[in-house]
Amino acid sequence: MTNTMRIIFLLLSLLTASSADTTKTYELVNQTGGASTPYVLHLDQYAVTYRNNRHSKVKSVKKVEIHPSYKLYFLRNSLTQMNTNHSSDSQGNVYYKYGIEDASHRYISTGEVLVTFTPISQQAMKELEQKYKLQYVKQVKPDTVLYRNRSEKNDIDLSSALIQLPNIIEAKPNWILPLRLF
């Protein structure tokens, strides 16, 4: 990250952070030369992702049915607002890239990480999964695997730790990305 970007991020963090108790900044280490990108976690927000169309009163659900690869989510301001009747819904932490609080900079964690490997033995991969508490979900590409994060670390910290390893080309959270469909 350039010095100018760091200064802009610092200013935005100071302007947007209402309290040190409601936000926390994490650095996602990129694969290129150890550069990093800051993401600000809002502890008082979370996202609920709807997995089926039982919420038929929501107009956007019908539009999402046309595009099944997209996920529909709604932001909530507090965990106390969570409705426990919807057990098939999932929750994600809400992060803002560079601390900019708008829809185009909002990233929602899924509890999964995407890892791209150099050629690696199955035994070395199993040892890595055990050491970092990764649960295999599926093979995305011949050299890329999607894992569920079962460790104590959040998705950003886990990805940043994995990218430091010699057999890993890329490691990043499997975000719900900011996308404007409608």
Side-chain angles (χ1 to χ4, degrees), residues 38-144:
Y39 289 86
V40 176
L41 169 65
H42 279 257
L43 300 171
D44 60 345
Q45 291 182 3
Y46 73 100
V48 176
T49 304
Y50 295 108
R51 294 189 176 178
N52 60 40
N53 61 359
R54 66 182 152 63
H55 306 280
S56 59
K57 294 182 180 179
V58 181
K59 292 179 183 178
S60 298
V61 170
K62 294 189 185 298
K63 294 177 183 177
V64 170
E65 288 174 358
I66 300 168
H67 306 279
S69 63
Y70 297 112
K71 295 180 180 179
L72 180 66
Y73 67 90
F74 297 95
L75 292 181
R76 301 288 188 239
N77 290 330
S78 164
L79 286 174
T80 59
Q81 293 178 352
M82 185 175 64
N83 187 343
T84 57
N85 294 335
H86 303 300
S87 60
S88 63
D89 299 338
S90 64
Q91 305 170 50
N93 290 325
V94 178
Y95 295 86
Y96 291 94
K97 190 174 185 178
Y98 301 113
I100 302 171
E101 294 182 38
D102 64 21
S104 63
H105 289 85
R106 183 182 301 129
Y107 288 72
I108 298 171
S109 66
T110 60
E112 298 172 337
V113 294
L114 287 162
V115 181
T116 303
F117 294 94
T118 60
I120 185 173
S121 71
Q122 289 296 324
Q123 179 62 27
M125 192 177 284
K126 292 289 183 198
E127 289 171 6
L128 179 91
E129 291 170 2
Q130 288 178 346
K131 180 177 180 181
Y132 288 93
K133 298 182 181 174
L134 301 171
Q135 179 185 8
Y136 177 88
V137 175
K138 68 179 179 179
Q139 188 94 21
V140 178
K141 294 179 184 174
D143 59 348
T144 304

Side-chain angles (χ1 to χ4, degrees), residues 121-169:
S121 71
Q122 289 296 324
Q123 179 62 27
M125 192 177 284
K126 292 289 183 198
E127 289 171 6
L128 179 91
E129 291 170 2
Q130 288 178 346
K131 180 177 180 181
Y132 288 93
K133 298 182 181 174
L134 301 171
Q135 179 185 8
Y136 177 88
V137 175
K138 68 179 179 179
Q139 188 94 21
V140 178
K141 294 179 184 174
D143 59 348
T144 304
V145 177
L146 177 65
Y147 289 108
R148 187 160 289 113
N149 179 2
R150 296 291 185 207
S151 73
E152 297 294 319
K153 297 181 179 192
N154 68 32
D155 298 345
I156 293 175
D157 285 344
L158 178 61
S159 297
S160 294
L162 291 172
I163 195 65
Q164 307 296 325
L165 300 175
N167 290 330
I168 295 180
I169 298 170

